[in-house]
Amino acid sequence: MAADVEEAVAAVRARGLRLSTPRRIVIEALFASPDPVSAEGIAGGLGGRLPKSDLTSVYRNLEVLEELGLVRHVHFGHAPGLYALASRDEQEYVVCERCSRHVALPADRLKRARAAIRDETGYEVRFTHFPLVGMCPDCAAGDGERE
Amino acid sequence: MAADVEEAVAAVRARGLRLSTPRRIVIEALFASPDPVSAEGIAGGLGGRLPKSDLTSVYRNLEVLEELGLVRHVHFGHAPGLYALASRDEQEYVVCERCSRHVALPADRLKRARAAIRDETGYEVRFTHFPLVGMCPDCAAGDGERE
DNA sequence: ATACTTGCAAATGATTTGCCAGTGT
DNA sequence: ACACTGGCAAATCATTTGCAAGTAT
């Protein structure tokens, strides 16, 4: 479901939405970023790789695309939300709250943890929208780095 | 470590800090709330139970008390941060991202999940500062409620 | 007396909303 | 043509910062 820009564009049209230039740029930006990007990053044109756009429109388009199920966003700690293609963001994240280094994990890598949480709480959790937070091995070992 | 207001006051003094009226009120508010409260809740006097205070001072005092290790705060989804006594907040939380219902868990209840995550990622995670997010049994069953 | 604190105003950062002009279909 | 969008300014929300006046020790 939406493996490239044209497919995403088609999905947008299929829902009766229009395809304006700013909207197309947002879509392209998402396909151009291997990692989740902030709205500001997209508005800034990914640092020159794409035309800049209005930040408000970027937010509004991300919202629309998220409703369509094409986009999703993650919150790393207190940082601004980061957006990514839903098709690509089947990953879960763990962030270090000391050095803010983060690791992306394939979808079912934390199956065991999820099952343990389900057993204990009844909740079906995911670490996609709000990632796991903790200490990375280095910071836990005592020597914090970065940030 | 700080089981009642006077002990907390003593801890503050022991670190060479002054004990002003606003600061004492923040401490009392934290002891008076069984659940985590927002800065605004404290400034509002917990709805009449305590004198109101200036929101800025509340934030500043919470910050100081957090540095002393007396206080800690949790982020439930996008909601404002909630503050609680560190001695009481050895709990971890699971929130439902649909109905926002949450459950507090005793400190070691998620031991297994934490261990699984440590095995898979090397990270030592805790669900105290940023809680677990997922779907509660009811919402997962299809019938969302509240909010 | 002298730092530490307060309280009010103003700044900040992320995101949203209002509103009217612009434009895709 | 007409509803959907864009862009810019202004609003919001939670939190922080500046700074002069107040006060605990």
PDB file of all heavy atoms in Angstrom, chain B residues 13 18-19 55-56 59-60 80-81, chain D residues 14-19 23-25:
ATOM      1  N   ARG B  13      15.883  21.746  53.529  1.00  0.00           N
ATOM      2  CA  ARG B  13      16.783  22.566  54.362  1.00  0.00           C
ATOM      3  C   ARG B  13      18.182  21.984  54.385  1.00  0.00           C
ATOM      4  O   ARG B  13      19.176  22.704  54.336  1.00  0.00           O
ATOM      5  CB  ARG B  13      16.233  22.638  55.791  1.00  0.00           C
ATOM      6  CG  ARG B  13      15.000  23.506  55.923  1.00  0.00           C
ATOM      7  CD  ARG B  13      15.082  24.292  57.248  1.00  0.00           C
ATOM      8  NE  ARG B  13      14.243  25.480  57.213  1.00  0.00           N
ATOM      9  CZ  ARG B  13      12.995  25.528  57.666  1.00  0.00           C
ATOM     10  NH1 ARG B  13      12.433  24.442  58.158  1.00  0.00           N
ATOM     11  NH2 ARG B  13      12.323  26.665  57.625  1.00  0.00           N
ATOM     12  N   ARG B  18      16.066  27.336  50.899  1.00  0.00           N
ATOM     13  CA  ARG B  18      15.154  27.995  51.833  1.00  0.00           C
ATOM     14  C   ARG B  18      13.770  27.406  51.722  1.00  0.00           C
ATOM     15  O   ARG B  18      13.400  26.818  50.724  1.00  0.00           O
ATOM     16  CB  ARG B  18      15.101  29.492  51.537  1.00  0.00           C
ATOM     17  CG  ARG B  18      16.419  30.128  51.816  1.00  0.00           C
ATOM     18  CD  ARG B  18      16.395  31.564  51.422  1.00  0.00           C
ATOM     19  NE  ARG B  18      17.736  32.097  51.546  1.00  0.00           N
ATOM     20  CZ  ARG B  18      18.073  33.325  51.202  1.00  0.00           C
ATOM     21  NH1 ARG B  18      17.163  34.133  50.697  1.00  0.00           N
ATOM     22  NH2 ARG B  18      19.295  33.737  51.358  1.00  0.00           N
ATOM     23  N   LEU B  19      13.010  27.616  52.761  1.00  0.00           N
ATOM     24  CA  LEU B  19      11.678  27.051  52.765  1.00  0.00           C
ATOM     25  C   LEU B  19      10.674  28.200  52.780  1.00  0.00           C
ATOM     26  O   LEU B  19      10.249  28.653  53.831  1.00  0.00           O
ATOM     27  CB  LEU B  19      11.513  26.178  54.005  1.00  0.00           C
ATOM     28  CG  LEU B  19      10.546  25.029  53.999  1.00  0.00           C
ATOM     29  CD1 LEU B  19       9.464  25.243  55.001  1.00  0.00           C
ATOM     30  CD2 LEU B  19       9.937  24.780  52.635  1.00  0.00           C
ATOM     31  N   LEU B  55       1.765  30.001  39.131  1.00  0.00           N
ATOM     32  CA  LEU B  55       2.146  28.870  38.293  1.00  0.00           C
ATOM     33  C   LEU B  55       3.648  28.809  38.030  1.00  0.00           C
ATOM     34  O   LEU B  55       4.256  27.733  38.075  1.00  0.00           O
ATOM     35  CB  LEU B  55       1.384  28.940  36.970  1.00  0.00           C
ATOM     36  CG  LEU B  55       1.563  27.787  35.984  1.00  0.00           C
ATOM     37  CD1 LEU B  55       1.262  26.443  36.633  1.00  0.00           C
ATOM     38  CD2 LEU B  55       0.653  28.000  34.781  1.00  0.00           C
ATOM     39  N   THR B  56       4.257  29.951  37.761  1.00  0.00           N
ATOM     40  CA  THR B  56       5.697  29.968  37.505  1.00  0.00           C
ATOM     41  C   THR B  56       6.479  29.423  38.696  1.00  0.00           C
ATOM     42  O   THR B  56       7.403  28.629  38.536  1.00  0.00           O
ATOM     43  CB  THR B  56       6.177  31.397  37.207  1.00  0.00           C
ATOM     44  OG1 THR B  56       5.445  31.903  36.112  1.00  0.00           O
ATOM     45  CG2 THR B  56       7.641  31.416  36.884  1.00  0.00           C
ATOM     46  N   TYR B  59       6.243  25.690  38.922  1.00  0.00           N
ATOM     47  CA  TYR B  59       7.173  25.027  38.009  1.00  0.00           C
ATOM     48  C   TYR B  59       8.593  25.090  38.552  1.00  0.00           C
ATOM     49  O   TYR B  59       9.324  24.113  38.518  1.00  0.00           O
ATOM     50  CB  TYR B  59       7.135  25.685  36.627  1.00  0.00           C
ATOM     51  CG  TYR B  59       6.074  25.108  35.721  1.00  0.00           C
ATOM     52  CD1 TYR B  59       4.982  25.877  35.320  1.00  0.00           C
ATOM     53  CD2 TYR B  59       6.150  23.791  35.273  1.00  0.00           C
ATOM     54  CE1 TYR B  59       3.995  25.348  34.479  1.00  0.00           C
ATOM     55  CE2 TYR B  59       5.180  23.255  34.440  1.00  0.00           C
ATOM     56  CZ  TYR B  59       4.103  24.038  34.050  1.00  0.00           C
ATOM     57  OH  TYR B  59       3.144  23.507  33.237  1.00  0.00           O
ATOM     58  N   ARG B  60       8.966  26.273  39.044  1.00  0.00           N
ATOM     59  CA  ARG B  60      10.341  26.387  39.526  1.00  0.00           C
ATOM     60  C   ARG B  60      10.582  25.504  40.738  1.00  0.00           C
ATOM     61  O   ARG B  60      11.635  24.893  40.880  1.00  0.00           O
ATOM     62  CB  ARG B  60      10.671  27.847  39.814  1.00  0.00           C
ATOM     63  CG  ARG B  60      11.231  28.515  38.566  1.00  0.00           C
ATOM     64  CD  ARG B  60      11.875  29.854  38.857  1.00  0.00           C
ATOM     65  NE  ARG B  60      10.881  30.846  39.171  1.00  0.00           N
ATOM     66  CZ  ARG B  60      10.798  32.047  38.588  1.00  0.00           C
ATOM     67  NH1 ARG B  60      11.656  32.400  37.654  1.00  0.00           N
ATOM     68  NH2 ARG B  60       9.881  32.893  38.949  1.00  0.00           N
ATOM     69  N   PRO B  80      -0.344  17.467  29.592  1.00  0.00           N
ATOM     70  CA  PRO B  80       0.702  18.138  30.361  1.00  0.00           C
ATOM     71  C   PRO B  80       1.350  17.172  31.342  1.00  0.00           C
ATOM     72  O   PRO B  80       0.740  16.185  31.754  1.00  0.00           O
ATOM     73  CB  PRO B  80      -0.059  19.232  31.109  1.00  0.00           C
ATOM     74  CG  PRO B  80      -1.513  18.901  30.998  1.00  0.00           C
ATOM     75  CD  PRO B  80      -1.648  18.123  29.740  1.00  0.00           C
ATOM     76  N   GLY B  81       2.578  17.447  31.716  1.00  0.00           N
ATOM     77  CA  GLY B  81       3.284  16.564  32.633  1.00  0.00           C
ATOM     78  C   GLY B  81       2.599  16.504  33.985  1.00  0.00           C
ATOM     79  O   GLY B  81       2.013  17.482  34.434  1.00  0.00           O
TER      80      GLY B  81
ATOM     81  P    DA D  14      -2.181  22.976  28.548  1.00  0.00           P
ATOM     82  OP1  DA D  14      -2.708  21.669  28.972  1.00  0.00           O
ATOM     83  OP2  DA D  14      -2.613  24.210  29.228  1.00  0.00           O
ATOM     84  O5'  DA D  14      -0.591  22.902  28.613  1.00  0.00           O
ATOM     85  C5'  DA D  14       0.048  21.798  27.994  1.00  0.00           C
ATOM     86  C4'  DA D  14       1.542  21.926  28.173  1.00  0.00           C
ATOM     87  O4'  DA D  14       1.995  23.129  27.526  1.00  0.00           O
ATOM     88  C3'  DA D  14       2.017  22.019  29.628  1.00  0.00           C
ATOM     89  O3'  DA D  14       3.157  21.184  29.771  1.00  0.00           O
ATOM     90  C2'  DA D  14       2.347  23.500  29.801  1.00  0.00           C
ATOM     91  C1'  DA D  14       2.789  23.897  28.405  1.00  0.00           C
ATOM     92  N9   DA D  14       2.582  25.309  28.064  1.00  0.00           N
ATOM     93  C8   DA D  14       1.504  26.092  28.374  1.00  0.00           C
ATOM     94  N7   DA D  14       1.604  27.329  27.933  1.00  0.00           N
ATOM     95  C5   DA D  14       2.825  27.346  27.274  1.00  0.00           C
ATOM     96  C6   DA D  14       3.520  28.356  26.586  1.00  0.00           C
ATOM     97  N6   DA D  14       3.073  29.603  26.429  1.00  0.00           N
ATOM     98  N1   DA D  14       4.723  28.029  26.056  1.00  0.00           N
ATOM     99  C2   DA D  14       5.177  26.784  26.198  1.00  0.00           C
ATOM    100  N3   DA D  14       4.622  25.740  26.822  1.00  0.00           N
ATOM    101  C4   DA D  14       3.435  26.104  27.345  1.00  0.00           C
ATOM    102  P    DT D  15       3.875  21.051  31.205  1.00  0.00           P
ATOM    103  OP1  DT D  15       4.517  19.719  31.258  1.00  0.00           O
ATOM    104  OP2  DT D  15       2.967  21.470  32.285  1.00  0.00           O
ATOM    105  O5'  DT D  15       5.036  22.124  31.042  1.00  0.00           O
ATOM    106  C5'  DT D  15       5.855  22.047  29.885  1.00  0.00           C
ATOM    107  C4'  DT D  15       6.801  23.224  29.816  1.00  0.00           C
ATOM    108  O4'  DT D  15       6.110  24.439  29.451  1.00  0.00           O
ATOM    109  C3'  DT D  15       7.533  23.530  31.128  1.00  0.00           C
ATOM    110  O3'  DT D  15       8.928  23.345  30.916  1.00  0.00           O
ATOM    111  C2'  DT D  15       7.191  24.985  31.410  1.00  0.00           C
ATOM    112  C1'  DT D  15       6.767  25.531  30.054  1.00  0.00           C
ATOM    113  N1   DT D  15       5.857  26.682  30.059  1.00  0.00           N
ATOM    114  C2   DT D  15       6.230  27.825  29.370  1.00  0.00           C
ATOM    115  O2   DT D  15       7.265  27.917  28.739  1.00  0.00           O
ATOM    116  N3   DT D  15       5.348  28.868  29.449  1.00  0.00           N
ATOM    117  C4   DT D  15       4.144  28.885  30.129  1.00  0.00           C
ATOM    118  O4   DT D  15       3.448  29.899  30.122  1.00  0.00           O
ATOM    119  C5   DT D  15       3.804  27.658  30.830  1.00  0.00           C
ATOM    120  C7   DT D  15       2.529  27.557  31.601  1.00  0.00           C
ATOM    121  C6   DT D  15       4.667  26.630  30.751  1.00  0.00           C
ATOM    122  P    DT D  16       9.987  23.737  31.997  1.00  0.00           P
ATOM    123  OP1  DT D  16      11.093  22.753  31.912  1.00  0.00           O
ATOM    124  OP2  DT D  16       9.313  23.999  33.276  1.00  0.00           O
ATOM    125  O5'  DT D  16      10.518  25.127  31.416  1.00  0.00           O
ATOM    126  C5'  DT D  16      10.859  25.214  30.043  1.00  0.00           C
ATOM    127  C4'  DT D  16      11.412  26.598  29.732  1.00  0.00           C
ATOM    128  O4'  DT D  16      10.354  27.578  29.764  1.00  0.00           O
ATOM    129  C3'  DT D  16      12.472  27.074  30.728  1.00  0.00           C
ATOM    130  O3'  DT D  16      13.550  27.593  29.963  1.00  0.00           O
ATOM    131  C2'  DT D  16      11.762  28.164  31.524  1.00  0.00           C
ATOM    132  C1'  DT D  16      10.749  28.689  30.534  1.00  0.00           C
ATOM    133  N1   DT D  16       9.502  29.238  31.115  1.00  0.00           N
ATOM    134  C2   DT D  16       9.103  30.505  30.748  1.00  0.00           C
ATOM    135  O2   DT D  16       9.745  31.221  30.000  1.00  0.00           O
ATOM    136  N3   DT D  16       7.917  30.912  31.291  1.00  0.00           N
ATOM    137  C4   DT D  16       7.097  30.196  32.144  1.00  0.00           C
ATOM    138  O4   DT D  16       6.044  30.666  32.542  1.00  0.00           O
ATOM    139  C5   DT D  16       7.583  28.884  32.503  1.00  0.00           C
ATOM    140  C7   DT D  16       6.784  28.029  33.427  1.00  0.00           C
ATOM    141  C6   DT D  16       8.745  28.476  31.979  1.00  0.00           C
ATOM    142  P    DT D  17      14.888  28.123  30.688  1.00  0.00           P
ATOM    143  OP1  DT D  17      15.995  27.672  29.818  1.00  0.00           O
ATOM    144  OP2  DT D  17      14.852  27.770  32.119  1.00  0.00           O
ATOM    145  O5'  DT D  17      14.766  29.722  30.563  1.00  0.00           O
ATOM    146  C5'  DT D  17      14.332  30.305  29.356  1.00  0.00           C
ATOM    147  C4'  DT D  17      14.277  31.814  29.524  1.00  0.00           C
ATOM    148  O4'  DT D  17      12.996  32.207  30.056  1.00  0.00           O
ATOM    149  C3'  DT D  17      15.334  32.397  30.475  1.00  0.00           C
ATOM    150  O3'  DT D  17      15.832  33.593  29.901  1.00  0.00           O
ATOM    151  C2'  DT D  17      14.541  32.649  31.745  1.00  0.00           C
ATOM    152  C1'  DT D  17      13.183  33.047  31.182  1.00  0.00           C
ATOM    153  N1   DT D  17      12.009  32.841  32.052  1.00  0.00           N
ATOM    154  C2   DT D  17      11.036  33.811  32.063  1.00  0.00           C
ATOM    155  O2   DT D  17      11.115  34.831  31.440  1.00  0.00           O
ATOM    156  N3   DT D  17       9.963  33.524  32.870  1.00  0.00           N
ATOM    157  C4   DT D  17       9.758  32.399  33.628  1.00  0.00           C
ATOM    158  O4   DT D  17       8.734  32.271  34.288  1.00  0.00           O
ATOM    159  C5   DT D  17      10.828  31.422  33.581  1.00  0.00           C
ATOM    160  C7   DT D  17      10.723  30.178  34.384  1.00  0.00           C
ATOM    161  C6   DT D  17      11.883  31.688  32.799  1.00  0.00           C
ATOM    162  P    DG D  18      17.074  34.376  30.542  1.00  0.00           P
ATOM    163  OP1  DG D  18      18.180  34.304  29.557  1.00  0.00           O
ATOM    164  OP2  DG D  18      17.297  33.872  31.923  1.00  0.00           O
ATOM    165  O5'  DG D  18      16.556  35.883  30.623  1.00  0.00           O
ATOM    166  C5'  DG D  18      15.332  36.276  30.007  1.00  0.00           C
ATOM    167  C4'  DG D  18      14.984  37.709  30.413  1.00  0.00           C
ATOM    168  O4'  DG D  18      13.764  37.706  31.210  1.00  0.00           O
ATOM    169  C3'  DG D  18      16.022  38.403  31.288  1.00  0.00           C
ATOM    170  O3'  DG D  18      15.947  39.808  31.044  1.00  0.00           O
ATOM    171  C2'  DG D  18      15.576  38.029  32.697  1.00  0.00           C
ATOM    172  C1'  DG D  18      14.048  38.031  32.565  1.00  0.00           C
ATOM    173  N9   DG D  18      13.377  37.044  33.402  1.00  0.00           N
ATOM    174  C8   DG D  18      13.794  35.771  33.684  1.00  0.00           C
ATOM    175  N7   DG D  18      12.948  35.110  34.432  1.00  0.00           N
ATOM    176  C5   DG D  18      11.909  36.003  34.660  1.00  0.00           C
ATOM    177  C6   DG D  18      10.700  35.855  35.399  1.00  0.00           C
ATOM    178  O6   DG D  18      10.295  34.870  35.997  1.00  0.00           O
ATOM    179  N1   DG D  18       9.941  37.018  35.383  1.00  0.00           N
ATOM    180  C2   DG D  18      10.286  38.169  34.735  1.00  0.00           C
ATOM    181  N2   DG D  18       9.442  39.176  34.840  1.00  0.00           N
ATOM    182  N3   DG D  18      11.407  38.321  34.033  1.00  0.00           N
ATOM    183  C4   DG D  18      12.173  37.207  34.034  1.00  0.00           C
ATOM    184  P    DC D  19      17.034  40.769  31.718  1.00  0.00           P
ATOM    185  OP1  DC D  19      17.234  41.866  30.743  1.00  0.00           O
ATOM    186  OP2  DC D  19      18.202  40.011  32.222  1.00  0.00           O
ATOM    187  O5'  DC D  19      16.223  41.354  32.960  1.00  0.00           O
ATOM    188  C5'  DC D  19      14.882  41.828  32.792  1.00  0.00           C
ATOM    189  C4'  DC D  19      14.304  42.248  34.139  1.00  0.00           C
ATOM    190  O4'  DC D  19      13.598  41.133  34.747  1.00  0.00           O
ATOM    191  C3'  DC D  19      15.368  42.682  35.169  1.00  0.00           C
ATOM    192  O3'  DC D  19      14.860  43.765  35.916  1.00  0.00           O
ATOM    193  C2'  DC D  19      15.493  41.457  36.047  1.00  0.00           C
ATOM    194  C1'  DC D  19      14.049  40.997  36.094  1.00  0.00           C
ATOM    195  N1   DC D  19      13.833  39.599  36.532  1.00  0.00           N
ATOM    196  C2   DC D  19      12.595  39.247  37.084  1.00  0.00           C
ATOM    197  O2   DC D  19      11.720  40.097  37.164  1.00  0.00           O
ATOM    198  N3   DC D  19      12.410  37.972  37.510  1.00  0.00           N
ATOM    199  C4   DC D  19      13.390  37.078  37.416  1.00  0.00           C
ATOM    200  N4   DC D  19      13.146  35.837  37.847  1.00  0.00           N
ATOM    201  C5   DC D  19      14.653  37.416  36.854  1.00  0.00           C
ATOM    202  C6   DC D  19      14.839  38.672  36.424  1.00  0.00           C
ATOM    203  P    DT D  23       7.735  40.019  51.444  1.00  0.00           P
ATOM    204  OP1  DT D  23       6.445  39.345  51.692  1.00  0.00           O
ATOM    205  OP2  DT D  23       8.101  41.288  52.127  1.00  0.00           O
ATOM    206  O5'  DT D  23       8.920  38.981  51.715  1.00  0.00           O
ATOM    207  C5'  DT D  23       8.852  37.649  51.190  1.00  0.00           C
ATOM    208  C4'  DT D  23      10.003  36.829  51.780  1.00  0.00           C
ATOM    209  O4'  DT D  23      11.257  37.244  51.193  1.00  0.00           O
ATOM    210  C3'  DT D  23      10.188  37.030  53.288  1.00  0.00           C
ATOM    211  O3'  DT D  23      10.697  35.822  53.834  1.00  0.00           O
ATOM    212  C2'  DT D  23      11.274  38.058  53.367  1.00  0.00           C
ATOM    213  C1'  DT D  23      12.164  37.552  52.240  1.00  0.00           C
ATOM    214  N1   DT D  23      13.153  38.490  51.701  1.00  0.00           N
ATOM    215  C2   DT D  23      14.314  37.960  51.180  1.00  0.00           C
ATOM    216  O2   DT D  23      14.545  36.771  51.116  1.00  0.00           O
ATOM    217  N3   DT D  23      15.215  38.893  50.715  1.00  0.00           N
ATOM    218  C4   DT D  23      15.049  40.266  50.731  1.00  0.00           C
ATOM    219  O4   DT D  23      15.933  40.974  50.281  1.00  0.00           O
ATOM    220  C5   DT D  23      13.810  40.744  51.291  1.00  0.00           C
ATOM    221  C7   DT D  23      13.541  42.201  51.348  1.00  0.00           C
ATOM    222  C6   DT D  23      12.931  39.839  51.743  1.00  0.00           C
ATOM    223  P    DA D  24       9.768  34.884  54.728  1.00  0.00           P
ATOM    224  OP1  DA D  24       8.605  34.522  53.911  1.00  0.00           O
ATOM    225  OP2  DA D  24       9.604  35.524  56.048  1.00  0.00           O
ATOM    226  O5'  DA D  24      10.704  33.616  54.940  1.00  0.00           O
ATOM    227  C5'  DA D  24      10.971  32.736  53.867  1.00  0.00           C
ATOM    228  C4'  DA D  24      12.424  32.256  53.948  1.00  0.00           C
ATOM    229  O4'  DA D  24      13.317  33.340  53.616  1.00  0.00           O
ATOM    230  C3'  DA D  24      12.880  31.737  55.308  1.00  0.00           C
ATOM    231  O3'  DA D  24      13.665  30.567  55.092  1.00  0.00           O
ATOM    232  C2'  DA D  24      13.726  32.869  55.884  1.00  0.00           C
ATOM    233  C1'  DA D  24      14.298  33.517  54.642  1.00  0.00           C
ATOM    234  N9   DA D  24      14.517  34.974  54.739  1.00  0.00           N
ATOM    235  C8   DA D  24      13.648  35.902  55.224  1.00  0.00           C
ATOM    236  N7   DA D  24      14.092  37.148  55.126  1.00  0.00           N
ATOM    237  C5   DA D  24      15.333  37.006  54.505  1.00  0.00           C
ATOM    238  C6   DA D  24      16.294  37.946  54.109  1.00  0.00           C
ATOM    239  N6   DA D  24      16.172  39.270  54.264  1.00  0.00           N
ATOM    240  N1   DA D  24      17.426  37.480  53.548  1.00  0.00           N
ATOM    241  C2   DA D  24      17.564  36.155  53.377  1.00  0.00           C
ATOM    242  N3   DA D  24      16.723  35.168  53.693  1.00  0.00           N
ATOM    243  C4   DA D  24      15.611  35.672  54.265  1.00  0.00           C
ATOM    244  P    DT D  25      14.111  29.649  56.321  1.00  0.00           P
ATOM    245  OP1  DT D  25      14.277  28.264  55.846  1.00  0.00           O
ATOM    246  OP2  DT D  25      13.206  29.946  57.470  1.00  0.00           O
ATOM    247  O5'  DT D  25      15.541  30.235  56.624  1.00  0.00           O
ATOM    248  C5'  DT D  25      16.585  29.977  55.693  1.00  0.00           C
ATOM    249  C4'  DT D  25      17.873  30.661  56.145  1.00  0.00           C
ATOM    250  O4'  DT D  25      17.768  32.097  55.929  1.00  0.00           O
ATOM    251  C3'  DT D  25      18.208  30.466  57.620  1.00  0.00           C
ATOM    252  O3'  DT D  25      19.546  30.058  57.769  1.00  0.00           O
ATOM    253  C2'  DT D  25      18.058  31.837  58.227  1.00  0.00           C
ATOM    254  C1'  DT D  25      18.360  32.760  57.040  1.00  0.00           C
ATOM    255  N1   DT D  25      17.743  34.100  57.155  1.00  0.00           N
ATOM    256  C2   DT D  25      18.452  35.176  56.723  1.00  0.00           C
ATOM    257  O2   DT D  25      19.546  35.107  56.222  1.00  0.00           O
ATOM    258  N3   DT D  25      17.815  36.390  56.892  1.00  0.00           N
ATOM    259  C4   DT D  25      16.575  36.597  57.440  1.00  0.00           C
ATOM    260  O4   DT D  25      16.118  37.729  57.541  1.00  0.00           O
ATOM    261  C5   DT D  25      15.894  35.412  57.875  1.00  0.00           C
ATOM    262  C7   DT D  25      14.536  35.522  58.485  1.00  0.00           C
ATOM    263  C6   DT D  25      16.497  34.224  57.723  1.00  0.00           C
TER     264       DT D  25
END
